[in-house]
Amino acid sequence: MSSLRVGGPGPAPAHRQALAQALNTVSYEVMPFRGTEDAVLAYVPRTIPVTVTTTEAKGLAATVDLARRLAGHGYSVAPHLAARQVRDGRQLTDLVTELREAGIDGIFVIAGDVARPAGGFPDALSLLEALDANGHHFRRIGIGGYPEGHGSIRQELIDRAIELKARYATHVITQLCFDAATISAWARRLKERGVGLPIHVGLPGAVSRQKLIRISAGLGLGQSARFLNKQQSLLWRFFLPGGYSPDRLVERLAPRVCDPEGNLAGFHLFTFNELEKTESWRRGMLLRAGYLT
């Protein structure tokens, strides 16, 4: 880890070293809205990998277009490929070609939230299988993980699905979960089931209540309703005294992220495009830990 020690002399305590290491292995997730590109350029260091979500209203084109532009600025970018928005094998081939020509070697494969698939890919596994069968250049392929389960899918089906998807993936990014013990127990259980992929813990960045409301309003009626339903555990936290802050969860999980015997590999911050605040928070935590990158 390349860092500059600030503060008093001598080595930092172990937990501060772990916190600094974890905060230097984050990735940021952004949404392809107007102004996102400028905000990334203004506030996100090029050492931080970026993923770009896919929205139902804007479709895959907006995601790929933003990913290409960010890659052109020197960022390591992984666009979301929502299987239910891919019409057929030809479109998938075109997407792969477009990303290869842009120098993008990472993707994050999800099913997507659209009610009806656009074509023959009803879930992430079917898209991963098609990519593998047709060949691709991707060095990084992420899949989703659910430490607290999924509201509409039985746990045994989720467990089996991630085992199947793991054959084609390089890492897992979890959905939102705010309990460190739950995340750690789920990660151990996944490893016991033979899935040894590194896990990046998904959590919100320094997001304001107002920003979350604006984001949900901009998604379109159908997707907004699904978004709010999925983010209930985040929304109620905004009404606690002091609102939401990622500090506690990051501090609790940092030593486990840095444990070489474990499979927690880093943090993935859902920024909801609150990039200035999230990066300021990260740097503030590094300063408190005694390190400044």
Side-chain angles (χ1 to χ4, degrees):
M1 178 182 64
S2 175
S3 59
L4 173 66
R5 181 78 170 93
V6 298
H15 71 278
R16 290 186 177 181
Q17 291 181 336
L19 181 60
Q21 182 177 336
L23 289 168
N24 278 316
T25 56
V26 301
S27 54
Y28 284 176
E29 184 165 306
V30 302
M31 307 180 87
F33 292 169
R34 185 174 59 186
T36 303
E37 180 181 3
D38 290 340
V40 171
L41 291 173
Y43 304 116
V44 181
R46 284 170 175 77
T47 54
I48 294 180
V50 177
T51 68
V52 183
T53 64
T54 296
T55 71
E56 182 178 348
K58 294 181 178 294
L60 288 166
T63 297
V64 172
D65 182 56
L66 177 58
R68 290 181 60 192
R69 297 200 307 271
L70 292 177
H73 291 300
Y75 288 93
S76 174
V77 188
H80 286 208
L81 292 188
R84 287 173 165 249
Q85 292 191 33
V86 180
R87 293 187 305 273
D88 51 32
R90 175 170 291 184
Q91 185 188 16
L92 180 59
T93 297
D94 290 343
L95 286 168
V96 172
T97 299
E98 188 173 4
L99 294 175
R100 183 179 65 246
E101 291 175 348
I104 295 172
D105 64 359
I107 53 173
F108 182 67
V109 179
I110 56 171
D113 288 333
V114 297
R116 293 183 179 180
F121 302 111
D123 51 33
L125 178 60
S126 60
L127 191 75
L128 288 165
E129 291 173 335
L131 283 169
D132 185 68
N134 295 330
H136 62 79
H137 67 285
F138 299 116
R139 299 173 55 197
R140 298 172 293 117
I141 300 180
I143 56 175
Y146 299 87
E148 293 183 311
H150 190 290
S152 59
I153 305 174
R154 296 198 311 274
Q155 188 62 51
E156 58 266 30
L157 294 179
I158 295 175
D159 290 343
R160 181 56 179 158
I162 199 167
E163 290 173 3
L164 294 172
K165 290 187 292 185
R167 302 173 184 177
Y168 308 102
T170 60
H171 62 280
V172 177
I173 296 176
T174 74
Q175 294 295 310
L176 294 178
C177 179
F178 296 92
D179 185 79
T182 298
I183 293 168
S184 298
W186 174 81
R188 286 194 299 270
R189 184 165 60 88
L190 203 62
K191 195 171 184 179
E192 290 168 358
R193 294 180 68 97
V195 178
L197 297 178
I199 295 170
H200 298 260
V201 179
L203 69 157
V207 185
S208 68
R209 182 187 308 153
Q210 293 77 11
K211 170 66 76 168
L212 194 66
I213 291 171
R214 288 199 301 271
I215 288 289
S216 65
L219 290 172
L221 185 60
Q223 190 173 1
S224 179
R226 289 189 291 275
F227 170 82
L228 292 172
N229 183 59
K230 289 169 63 178
Q231 309 304 332
Q232 285 182 21
S233 59
L234 172 59
L235 287 171
W236 73 260
R237 278 171 167 77
F238 282 105
F239 296 95
L240 294 174
Y244 164 77
S245 171
D247 295 32
R248 180 176 297 181
L249 186 58
V250 166
E251 288 174 349
R252 288 180 176 177
L253 283 174
R256 302 175 195 184
V257 166
C258 300
D259 181 1
E261 301 300 319
N263 52 348
L264 296 183
F267 293 117
H268 180 77
L269 297 179
F270 299 100
T271 70
F272 299 100
N273 288 10
E274 197 81 281
L275 292 166
E276 181 178 10
K277 286 185 177 181
T278 296
E279 178 59 12
S280 177
W281 164 83
R282 185 185 76 92
R283 293 183 65 81
M285 290 286 285
L286 281 168
L287 188 61
R288 284 169 50 192
Y291 285 83
L292 189 63
T293 57

